Amino acid sequence: VERTRTVGEFAMVLIHTMAHIRSGTWADTDPTFAAEFYRSLQQLCTHLFFQTVASNPSADDAEIAAGKFIDSKIPGTSADTLFSKAHMRRRMRNYLAFLHSARLRTHLSIL
């Protein structure tokens, strides 16, 4: 019940279960399961993308439609704040600090 509070969580449970059934294995680490899981996820994302385009007839261009799809916020999910401009800037600052850090250079020199 706790994984079905939102439509997105319920869809992920369905995709996960269907991938297990299609792959014939219950191991999440099995490559056949992973392939089925990502294939199903890709199909769902493709469907949602084209539903978004169809619901917005002014978006003639795929690039405009993709931008609107990416910029859309789904109520009830935690993903909204993860992609805010402020959060993305903070993540990029952290990434750049790590990229130029002595710790990373030391780690790479060991390899």
Side-chain angles (χ1 to χ4, degrees):
V1 173
E2 73 183 53
R3 291 189 179 177
T4 59
R5 281 185 238 146
T6 67
V7 173
E9 289 172 326
F10 181 65
M12 290 303 295
V13 168
L14 284 178
I15 287 172
H16 190 231
T17 304
M18 288 172 39
H20 279 300
I21 293 168
R22 287 181 178 163
S23 67
T25 180
W26 292 102
D28 286 356
T29 56
D30 188 286
T32 308
F33 162 77
E36 287 296 336
F37 177 77
Y38 286 112
R39 185 178 302 120
S40 297
L41 189 57
Q42 180 184 12
Q43 289 171 348
L44 176 63
C45 290
T46 300
H47 175 75
L48 291 174
F49 174 80
F50 286 111
Q51 286 296 320
T52 302
V53 172
S55 69
N56 187 359
S58 65
D60 307 350
D61 185 16
E63 189 173 331
I64 294 170
K68 289 184 182 209
F69 182 74
I70 291 168
D71 290 340
S72 69
K73 292 190 172 145
I74 302 169
T77 67
S78 59
D80 296 355
T81 57
L82 296 176
F83 296 101
S84 70
K85 288 181 182 179
H87 190 76
M88 293 299 284
R89 278 193 286 272
R90 190 169 38 257
R91 287 173 59 191
M92 289 305 296
R93 272 195 311 273
N94 291 342
Y95 168 74
L96 289 172
F98 177 72
L99 184 64
H100 300 293
S101 72
R103 191 174 72 174
L104 177 62
R105 283 192 293 276
T106 301
H107 177 73
L108 292 176
S109 68
I110 294 170
L111 298 177

